[in-house]
Amino acid sequence: MNRKVGYAIAVAGALALPFFVYPVFLMKVLCFALFACAFNLLIGFTGLLSFGHAAFFGGAGYVAGHTIKVMGWPFELGLIAGVAVAALIGLIMGGLAIRRQGIYFTMITLALAQMLFFVFLQAPFTGGEDGLQGVPRGKLLGVVDLSNDMTLYYVVLAICIAGFALIMRTVHSPFGQVLKAVKENEPRAISLGYDTDRYKLLAFVLSASLAGLAGATKTVVLGFETLTDVHWSMSGLVVLMTLVGGLGTLTGPIVGAVLIIALENKLGDFGNWMATLTSIEWFRTIGESVTIVTGFIFIVCVLAFRRGIVGELAALFKRAPAGSGAAH
């Protein structure tokens, strides 16, 4: 009941937030939050560390942008095309990668993702280093004009809530319980008669599809797609979001995405403001060094918050009643 109330409050806050914060920034945060949740489904609940999720995120973005801009497909069909291609890439990549475990699985996903990066670099429809520019937003179902930021925000919010609900339903389903069993002890799951490779492949494809949905939506929101989204550094960024927020928690990746994207977009403004206010140029330097700040946050979380922000808070709340009971 408390969890449902918390989700209701979060949704209500999200509905009111665009009246106080720039909607395009909020939509970008939502897309990365869905991306991080999709990645967390794979690593947090299945135990598979992929360094290739940028291929799904950026690949779906390119496909959605191309179909909407060049082929004239409507908004919803462009998203479906992006998700379908991400699922196909995930099926091929996952089919090859799950034959190995541990670091070998991770390196295979990284290698395959970098191969796709060079494909997108050379492919004529991606625009190469210039990227795919001028992607129109179009209309939802041919009726709702998405050129208005507020209208598009609520559409993106609905998409992300639906994606999060699917992840939550998956985690709490019998399928999700098997995934947790695979993460905890795969040989035991095999001994119980489960085809673990099939379950891991399904989880991989589902995670890839949701990551593709996030990438396709982001392309429509910003109106362009670049090679940054298919580079290995994007895969590292989503790992950072998940670890900072809380690996294996439902809301942790959302918190991590909000924190990292806010730092990337607002730290420079904050540094300039502080430098102007205090006449200390050091603040301006910090504002320009976003990667240093995010790296520092990552180090602090690894050393002091091993379970991430949400994970540590959850553990703290669990210990509190026991401590108070012992005191009485």
Side-chain angles (χ1 to χ4, degrees), residues 266-305:
K266 301 301 181 182
L267 185 62
D269 296 339
F270 176 76
N272 292 332
W273 178 76
M274 287 296 295
T276 304
L277 183 66
T278 63
S279 299
I280 300 176
E281 290 300 313
W282 177 78
F283 285 108
R284 202 182 308 276
T285 304
I286 291 296
E288 295 172 354
S289 305
V290 178
T291 54
I292 296 177
V293 176
T294 54
F296 176 75
I297 292 174
F298 176 69
I299 293 172
V300 170
C301 286
V302 169
L303 294 178
F305 305 99

Side-chain angles (χ1 to χ4, degrees), residues 58-197:
Y62 273 121
V63 171
H66 180 75
T67 54
I68 293 173
K69 177 186 176 181
V70 179
M71 302 176 66
W73 287 18
F75 167 79
E76 55 273 7
L77 288 184
L79 293 190
I80 292 173
V83 172
V85 169
L88 179 61
I89 296 174
L91 180 63
I92 297 172
M93 187 183 294
L96 295 172
I98 62 171
R99 299 172 185 271
R100 295 294 181 266
Q101 296 180 349
I103 189 64
Y104 303 103
F105 171 89
T106 303
M107 289 298 100
I108 290 173
T109 58
L110 175 61
L112 293 175
Q114 282 303 100
M115 289 173 60
L116 282 174
F117 169 80
F118 288 109
V119 169
F120 288 123
L121 176 62
Q122 300 295 331
F125 76 93
T126 63
E129 294 182 353
D130 295 328
L132 183 64
Q133 307 289 335
V135 178
R137 291 180 175 179
K139 295 183 178 181
L140 178 64
L141 302 175
V143 178
V144 182
D145 186 10
L146 300 178
S147 60
N148 182 276
D149 288 343
M150 291 291 285
T151 303
L152 182 60
Y153 170 80
Y154 289 113
V155 173
V156 172
L157 179 62
I159 291 173
C160 293
I161 289 176
F164 180 76
L166 176 60
I167 292 173
M168 186 166 60
R169 181 68 186 90
T170 301
V171 168
H172 292 105
S173 68
F175 173 74
Q177 299 305 310
V178 176
L179 295 183
K180 292 179 183 178
V182 171
K183 176 188 176 183
E184 296 298 329
N185 195 328
E186 185 174 351
R188 180 173 176 80
I190 294 173
S191 69
L192 293 174
Y194 293 107
D195 185 352
T196 57
D197 283 347

Side-chain angles (χ1 to χ4, degrees), residues 247-267:
L247 185 67
T249 62
L250 285 171
T251 57
I254 299 175
V255 174
V258 171
L259 179 62
I260 299 301
I261 299 302
L263 283 174
E264 285 191 345
N265 287 267
K266 301 301 181 182
L267 185 62

Side-chain angles (χ1 to χ4, degrees), residues 25-41 57 156-157 159-161 163-164 167 210-211 214-215 218 238 241-242 249-261:
F25 168 72
L26 293 176
M27 287 186 280
K28 183 178 179 181
V29 170
L30 286 173
C31 292
F32 275 101
L34 179 59
F35 183 30
C37 287
F39 176 76
N40 184 52
L41 176 64
F57 185 72
V156 172
L157 179 62
I159 291 173
C160 293
I161 289 176
F164 180 76
I167 292 173
L210 290 168
K218 174 180 170 290
V238 75
M241 292 176 184
T242 307
T249 62
L250 285 171
T251 57
I254 299 175
V255 174
V258 171
L259 179 62
I260 299 301
I261 299 302

Side-chain angles (χ1 to χ4, degrees), residues 196-211:
T196 57
D197 283 347
R198 184 165 63 92
Y199 279 92
K200 288 191 292 186
L201 181 58
L202 287 173
F204 197 95
V205 173
L206 179 58
S207 178
S209 301
L210 290 168

Side-chain angles (χ1 to χ4, degrees), residues 206-226:
L206 179 58
S207 178
S209 301
L210 290 168
L213 178 61
T217 306
K218 174 180 170 290
T219 298
V220 175
V221 169
L222 300 181
F224 61 86
E225 182 59 71
T226 64

